[in-house]
Amino acid sequence: DADMPAPKGNAYWKLCPRPGRRPSYGTAEELWAAAQQYFEWAEANPLYAHETVKFQGEASIVKVPKMRAMTIAGLCLHIGVTHETWCQYRKRDEAFSEVTAMIDSIIRTQKFEGAAADIFNANIISRDLGLVDRRARDLDIGTRDSLATFINALATQPFSLK
């Protein structure tokens, strides 16, 4: 939910290594190494949810680790660059373009697979990845339409098993 506040006790500000001039990665290999450090950090620092566990009639609250979704914004904070700088790296040259494309793919795949395994909220991840259900968007059914109108509109949509 967009109106949901950051979790209490979050330390997102600690991800930014330092204020001031941002680091410049002179080679694609340096950028790749920095990204790998982010991937390792994200894996080693899960988020925690508090869940109630009942055992033999006793209930207790335990902290359960949850996989942290990697994001380009999180990567940028971790490696100390702005999103604009990240976009410039994407266009810099062939080597940077290849590395940034690989990093984008890794982050996209981690989020997609996390949502598919029900680790992440599938609705949030599908919006983030631009995976909108085209059929729902194209039907444009209003709340006053009848079920018959809805079924007729659905029947006119192309069907594919792809």
Side-chain angles (χ1 to χ4, degrees), residues 77-121:
L77 284 170
H78 191 82
I79 67 174
V81 300
T82 64
H83 190 266
E84 179 59 35
T85 299
W86 176 255
C87 292
Q88 290 171 11
Y89 282 133
R90 285 180 174 147
K91 299 180 259 181
R92 193 175 204 174
D93 63 31
E94 187 176 342
F96 275 94
S97 179
E98 283 290 318
V99 166
T100 55
M102 180 61 72
I103 293 166
D104 287 338
S105 292
I106 289 168
I107 290 174
R108 182 179 175 84
T109 300
Q110 190 252 11
K111 287 192 281 191
F112 182 85
E113 290 177 355
D118 210 22
I119 297 169
F120 302 141
N121 182 303

Side-chain angles (χ1 to χ4, degrees), residues 1-2 121-132:
D1 188 3
N121 182 303
N123 288 329
I124 293 170
I125 298 299
S126 65
R127 284 188 211 119
D128 180 58
L129 298 178
L131 303 174
V132 178

